Amino acid sequence: MAVTDKFLRGARNKLYPKQAWYCIGLFIFIIAIFQWISFLHSKFAGRRQASNASDPEHASVHRRHAFSWRRIPLGLVNAYRVISFRWTLEFGKSYTLNMAEVFVTVAYIIFLFVWTFINTTDLQGHKLNISYWCNRSGMLASSQFPLITALGTKNNIVSLITGISYDKLNYVHRMMSRVAFVLLWVHVGGEVVRHAPFQPYFTQPWLLWGLVSMVASAILCVVSLRPVRAQAYELFFYVHFAMVSIFLIGAYIHTQDSDVAFWIYPCFIIWGLDRLIRTLRLVVFNHSYFGFRSGSTMDATAELLSDDFVRLRFHRPSHFHWTPGQTAYLIMPSVSRLPFEAHPFTIASFNSTLFDVPKEQKPASEKYAEMSLAEGNLGSSAPFWKELVFFINVREGFTARLKDAALKGDKVKVFVDGPYGPSPNLGSYDTSVLIAGGSGVSYTLPVLLDTIERVRNGESRCRRVVFIWSIRSIDHIHWIDDVLIRALRLAPPSLSISIHIHVTGTPETAETLPGSYGRTDDVKPVRDDSRSEVVELQDGKAMEISNDSLFAIESVKLVHQRADLRAILRDEVTVATGRMSVSVCGSQSITRSVRGALRFPVSSPLSVANGGPSVTLHIESFGYA
């Protein structure tokens, strides 16, 4: 039988989407291997002693400036981290792409367009024959729909395999969607040219539904732009759900008489499975709403901390457990416009049983005051140990309505779905630097508490923690001052903790910082007298500080100026040895400063080879995914 153009087109249209999946699957597998190797290395490295000279990463603990050829591979790994994740392309003040994202984007675009236009010469020798690439572009775009759908869900197999959180994969979800959108328009344009004049086909349902899908996808691409998501998230939320539904239904009807439908219907299954998992979680964690006798009603207390921030706290469900840095989706029917509208927030409290013991062993160092560890003596810090706590930045829409509820003093009914996202495994690091801006302390505070508990239990090798928090008003200190005081007194003598609080708002000539609110009688003052004293801050401003406040502790510093993160991180890298972790949660300006500070030459291969620390950077950025 003679081979025809039609036969070749059909065979390649079926084969090339499968080949695309093989290549993408191989890439995901390679990423997963590297991720799991890194995870296992961090996990088992934490069990080894810092004095183990056989480990090149820790062999420099006592030889800080001794060059070692054995540390060259570690230096190259550090260089890879710098180039891939700290070198960036910046777009305006609010958008940044690291080189890893740039590489994935460029490689994906090149890959799909090469597969679209390769082998498009017909049997007569005409190159780029439109009949070859026209339908193929549509089939290649359609073949990406299941993966695009999966990356847009909270419970997806890619996150499970690679260990990369769904929120970080959301960039890939958006990028793939836009590339597929362009390929679909290549398909539409090719069809218009091939079948001109096109008017007779407008009576065909498959064509009309195809056009409806394209209009829906165009609206999707517009509302998914970052400025729209940031300024009108609820509009994006509603339009996204509606347009995705219209797009997939229209695409299925458009392709139901062809093999392309094979790539469409799995999207409904993937989305439905994610919703089923989330519904089951809601039932398990909020079972008192669904007729079960056990469990407590999830009535949340909304407290207005300032004009821009609300603290939400409620009882921790018995089956709900989380690790520091994870997020939960909160559904508040009385606040949301839709009954099951969910919004993500980082959990600011710590899932610990530390205070279940009746009495703390008395610290060896006299600089720590005695304190009872019984639950009843936790004072105002109790929610951070015993409840679910969230710091919520007030904007428009949902958060503005939550602020109104806080002003009224109303209890808020809450469904909790989660937790989501991985937790930074810092047990194998010798030095941890935690940086937060404003409500970003929701991420760094539980990490600090977790580090202290792990060191107390002998589960972490950490020797030094630096906690940096930038806030606009000095009143924000009262969000966490009591829990910081108790955390510092819990820290064992082997763990050095340095706390830097930077107030970026305009300071007054003299300010009074009251003692820690909610202070209980079981906590003795650090100093013998309870009088206040006027101290001069590093910027020359005077402040009256009570001797039982957070700032009466020697390791806590208050500065009325923006944090010079480059200088702070440079100094920490200079004195650190072994492994060093930097975790940051804040605005784009903060994350950009941290990335810039940890590039070359601070984290160069030569620095590591000379005994400097191997630095790992964890970033949790503000904003909508």
Side-chain angles (χ1 to χ4, degrees), residues 131-376:
S131 63
Y132 274 76
W133 54 260
C134 176
N135 281 330
R136 189 192 303 173
S137 62
M139 294 194 72
L140 278 170
S142 300
S143 70
Q144 304 304 295
F145 293 167
L147 184 57
I148 292 172
T149 304
L151 292 174
T153 60
K154 308 301 180 292
N155 306 279
N156 69 77
I157 192 171
V158 180
S159 289
L160 180 64
I161 293 174
T162 63
I164 302 175
S165 63
Y166 78 91
D167 56 315
K168 287 183 170 56
L169 289 174
N170 195 266
Y171 166 77
V172 183
H173 164 76
R174 299 193 306 271
M175 179 271 294
M176 292 180 63
S177 300
R178 289 160 185 165
V179 175
F181 174 73
V182 174
L183 277 178
L184 288 175
W185 277 109
V186 170
H187 166 67
V188 171
E191 289 289 349
V192 171
V193 173
R194 281 182 65 195
H195 299 288
F198 212 63
Q199 288 79 0
Y201 293 94
F202 278 109
T203 59
Q204 303 295 324
W206 61 269
L207 176 61
L208 295 176
W209 278 105
L211 293 176
V212 168
S213 292
M214 292 307 301
V215 171
S217 64
I219 296 174
L220 268 175
C221 285
V222 172
V223 299
S224 66
L225 295 175
R226 179 172 289 267
V228 178
R229 298 199 318 274
Q231 299 299 322
Y233 180 77
E234 292 188 15
L235 172 66
F236 160 76
F237 181 87
Y238 302 136
V239 174
H240 183 274
F241 179 81
M243 292 301 106
V244 167
S245 301
I246 293 172
F247 173 78
L248 289 177
I249 292 172
Y252 182 79
I253 296 175
H254 177 73
T255 61
Q256 62 181 339
D257 294 329
S258 66
D259 295 333
V260 184
F262 171 79
W263 302 107
I264 307 298
Y265 68 80
C267 300
F268 297 100
I269 298 175
I270 294 169
W271 183 86
L273 182 61
D274 175 68
R275 289 293 164 174
L276 176 62
I277 294 174
R278 296 182 67 179
T279 301
L280 291 176
R281 283 187 172 189
L282 284 174
V283 172
V284 170
F285 297 140
N286 310 273
H287 51 273
S288 60
Y289 281 133
F290 297 94
F292 295 91
R293 291 185 178 179
S294 61
S296 60
T297 302
M298 306 290 284
D299 289 335
T301 300
E303 304 165 312
L304 188 63
L305 301 177
S306 69
D307 288 339
D308 299 323
F309 291 97
V310 170
R311 182 173 77 166
L312 191 75
R313 61 185 181 90
F314 53 92
H315 178 77
R316 177 175 63 187
S318 58
H319 302 292
F320 190 89
H321 301 283
W322 71 97
T323 53
Q326 289 192 299
T327 61
Y329 275 76
L330 302 183
I331 301 172
M332 301 178 224
S334 61
V335 177
S336 305
R337 286 198 174 100
L338 295 179
F340 285 93
E341 176 186 325
H343 292 262
F345 300 101
T346 302
I347 304 172
S349 50
F350 180 42
N351 186 20
S352 170
T353 57
L354 183 63
F355 289 100
D356 292 343
V357 296
K359 186 80 175 177
E360 178 191 20
Q361 295 179 352
K362 184 176 180 178
S365 174
E366 293 183 358
K367 70 176 181 178
Y368 296 99
E370 294 183 13
M371 65 175 288
S372 171
L373 287 180
E375 179 180 348

Side-chain angles (χ1 to χ4, degrees), residues 84-102 105 171 174 226 229 587-593 595-596 599 619 621-622:
S84 298
F85 304 108
R86 300 171 205 170
W87 284 7
T88 58
L89 290 179
E90 298 177 355
F91 304 90
K93 296 182 179 180
S94 62
Y95 195 55
T96 300
L97 285 180
N98 61 48
M99 289 298 108
E101 292 170 332
V102 171
T105 301
Y171 166 77
R174 299 193 306 271
R226 179 172 289 267
R229 298 199 318 274
S587 63
Q588 280 288 340
S589 61
I590 291 178
T591 57
R592 285 180 176 181
S593 296
R595 278 191 169 114
R599 293 171 186 163
I619 290 181
S621 295
F622 282 171

